[in-house]
């Protein structure tokens, strides 16, 4: 028996597309299912000015295969040198939809991130004034903080003070991984949303570490204990409009993942929508999938919901997803949920 579900075409509110050959290889995986995506600026060197964002957007559009429609929603990487006037100009033309805050050293290519938050206050004030959201990688990087506590400590030490000092600033807590993150969003009515990844709805830290180390499940923020995964599932499937999909699909080649110092990132662009249908059905919340993947994000960003649609089908036989995407730089392994999935995009 085949079951179908048609939803407004989804968007991805946190995506890594990289550049060059990798961009060319991974872009179709997203554009096949998603109408738009918030494009992370952590290239080497990072996308820091309006001019950088224009050039990167043009490279993305040039890499888009003929016949595919996709709108990249550009972001700038917030540094201590970011110029409020450049931000204002890039937002006024509609080029950029957010700024991205990486605490220095938090994750892949974050060396240019912010160390002293006082130095970015004028930019944050400007963003609050013009309604431009700040996307936040919410982890402290202090050596004395346990990696599993980095998100909770960030909320207390960095995020809450920033939000109090800059009332009116719209903030997206990206790829939340803890019940602390869920609770912080729920307890703050104004100007705060959170993205949740597909993989954090599926794996906990045991999946990474039990029975041998699984580098393809390693990403940042790292998956936490099961009680946190359950809190994320409840938030995503609740229908609460403050939670929406940001896959954080982050391609790294297999040699870079399967190394003595492996890169952080799960590549989920290919099978995210099928996996989400599985997850939402398992929680008796298929009717909430459209809100999470297609409606809550546009509502937070003040953008229209896509008028085109995406249809998912469920069949008796398990879906076979490609194990890898080939790129000239090397293969990229597609996230394996570890259980059979019967949903697929029609
Ligand atoms: C991202 C990447 O590879 O760029 N990695 C990840 O584990 N999510 C960076 C990030 O978003 O933290
Ligand atoms: Zn990311």
């Amino acid at each position: 028996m085949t079951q179908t579900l048609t939803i407004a075409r989804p968007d991805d509110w946190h995506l890594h597309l990289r550049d060059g050959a990798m961009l060319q290889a991974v872009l179709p995986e997203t554009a096949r299912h998603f109408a738009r995506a918030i494009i992370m600026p952590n290239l080497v060197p990072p996308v820091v000015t309006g001019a950088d964002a224009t050039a990167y957007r043009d490279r993305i559009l040039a890499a888009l295969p003929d016949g595919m429609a996709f709108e990249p929603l550009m972001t700038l990487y917030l540094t201590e040198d970011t110029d409020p006037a450049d931000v204002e100009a890039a937002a006024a033309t509609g080029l950029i939809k957010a700024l991205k805050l990486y605490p220095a050293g938090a994750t892949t290519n974050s060396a240019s991130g912010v160390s002293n938050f006082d130095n970015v206050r004028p930019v944050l004030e400007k963003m609050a004034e013009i309604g431009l959201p700040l996307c936040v990688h919410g982890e402290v990087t202090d050596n004395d903080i346990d990696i599993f506590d980095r998100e909770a400590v960030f909320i207390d030490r960095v995020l809450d003070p920033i939000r109090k000092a800059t009332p009116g600033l719209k903030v997206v807590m990206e790829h939340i991984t803890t019940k602390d993150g869920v609770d912080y969003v729920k307890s703050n009515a104004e100007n705060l949303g959170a993205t949740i990844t597909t993989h954090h709805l599926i794996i906990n830290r045991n999946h990474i570490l039990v029975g041998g180390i699984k580098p393809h499940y390693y990403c940042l923020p790292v998956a936490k204990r099961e009680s946190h995964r359950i809190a994320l599932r409840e938030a995503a499937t609740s229908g609460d409009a403050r939670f929406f999909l940001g896959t954080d699909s982050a391609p790294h080649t297999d040699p870079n993942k399967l190394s003595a110092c492996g890169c952080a990132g799960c590549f989920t662009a290919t099978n995210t929508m099928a996996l989400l249908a599985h997850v939402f059905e398992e929680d008796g919340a298929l009717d909430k999938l459209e809100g999470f993947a297609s409606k809550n994000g546009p509502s937070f960003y003040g953008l229209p919901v896509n008028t085109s649609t995406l249809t998912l089908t469920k069949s008796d036989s398990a879906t076979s997803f490609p194990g890898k995407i080939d790129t000239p730089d090397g293969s990229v392994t597609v996230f394996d949920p570890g259980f059979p999935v019967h949903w697929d995009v029609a």
Side-chain angles (χ1 to χ4, degrees):
M1 208 191 76
T2 302
Q3 189 184 344
T4 71
L5 175 68
T6 297
I7 59 173
R9 203 164 179 80
D11 304 302
D12 185 348
W13 300 95
H14 180 130
L15 177 67
H16 298 271
L17 284 177
R18 316 299 189 205
D19 216 339
M22 182 64 89
L23 164 64
Q24 195 93 38
V26 299
L27 178 59
E29 299 303 301
T30 287
R32 201 170 287 137
H33 300 161
F34 295 88
R36 302 170 289 196
I38 284 276
I39 309 299
M40 286 297 117
N42 64 331
L43 304 181
V44 189
V47 178
V48 291
T49 64
D52 295 341
T54 301
Y56 186 31
R57 184 195 55 191
D58 291 349
R59 295 198 297 280
I60 294 168
L61 292 175
L64 192 64
D66 284 347
M68 275 190 164
F70 177 72
E71 185 185 355
L73 307 174
M74 306 310 292
T75 63
L76 299 184
Y77 189 122
L78 176 64
T79 76
E80 294 183 20
D81 298 322
T82 299
D83 175 5
D86 183 53
V87 168
E88 185 171 25
T93 64
L95 169 68
I96 61 161
K97 294 291 185 280
L99 257 65
K100 172 71 190 237
L101 166 65
Y102 288 103
T107 185
T108 309
N109 306 335
S110 60
S112 319
V114 176
S115 301
N116 182 349
F117 287 87
D118 289 337
N119 292 340
V120 294
R121 196 151 305 289
V123 182
L124 300 183
E125 297 289 347
K126 176 56 73 183
M127 292 169 68
E129 182 192 319
I130 64 178
L132 188 70
L134 180 70
C135 295
V136 173
H137 182 110
E139 292 192 287
V140 293
T141 52
D142 313 46
N143 273 330
D144 60 324
I145 303 299
D146 188 279
I147 190 165
F148 292 102
D149 298 332
R150 283 173 156 204
E151 184 169 297
V153 174
F154 181 89
I155 293 169
D156 292 341
R157 282 198 196 165
V158 183
L159 183 57
D160 202 55
I162 286 181
R163 292 187 62 249
K164 292 212 165 99
T166 321
L169 180 66
K170 284 178 95 166
V171 173
V172 185
M173 290 176 72
E174 296 197 282
H175 42 49
I176 55 169
T177 57
T178 58
K179 181 171 189 306
D180 310 68
V182 170
D183 290 345
Y184 185 73
V185 172
K186 284 189 184 165
S187 65
N188 287 270
E190 291 290 306
N191 293 327
L192 184 64
T195 57
I196 302 178
T197 75
T198 308
H199 51 283
H200 287 119
L201 296 173
I202 293 174
I203 60 167
N204 62 33
R205 62 196 194 180
N206 278 21
H207 292 86
I208 310 172
L209 296 170
V210 172
I213 191 159
K214 316 287 190 322
H216 293 302
Y217 289 154
Y218 174 62
C219 70
L220 288 172
V222 70
K224 309 297 191 297
R225 64 169 65 240
E226 177 66 358
S227 52
H228 293 295
R229 186 186 72 92
I230 289 170
L232 298 173
R233 287 275 283 242
E234 284 172 359
T237 60
S238 67
D240 186 328
R242 292 170 291 186
F243 299 101
F244 44 94
L245 174 65
T247 66
D248 196 13
S249 184
H252 292 278
T253 63
D254 287 329
N256 285 335
K257 290 289 291 177
L258 308 173
S259 137
C261 184
C263 291
C266 296
F267 181 70
T268 56
T270 307
N271 53 3
T272 272
M273 289 312 301
L275 299 186
L276 288 176
H278 178 102
V279 161
F280 277 65
E281 182 183 47
E282 198 167 69
D283 287 5
L286 262 185
D287 61 324
K288 302 292 195 311
L289 178 60
E290 184 178 51
F292 181 70
S294 314
K295 291 190 162 170
N296 300 348
S299 155
F300 184 89
Y301 277 88
L303 294 169
V305 172
N306 298 308
T307 50
S308 51
T309 59
L310 186 83
T311 297
L312 291 140
T313 58
K314 185 186 181 192
S315 55
D316 292 335
S317 51
T319 312
S320 71
F321 302 108
K324 292 175 191 303
I325 302 296
D326 286 321
T327 88
D329 296 340
S331 57
V332 173
T333 292
V334 175
F335 179 77
D336 174 3
F339 48 75
V341 172
H342 291 260
W343 287 92
D344 201 358
V345 175

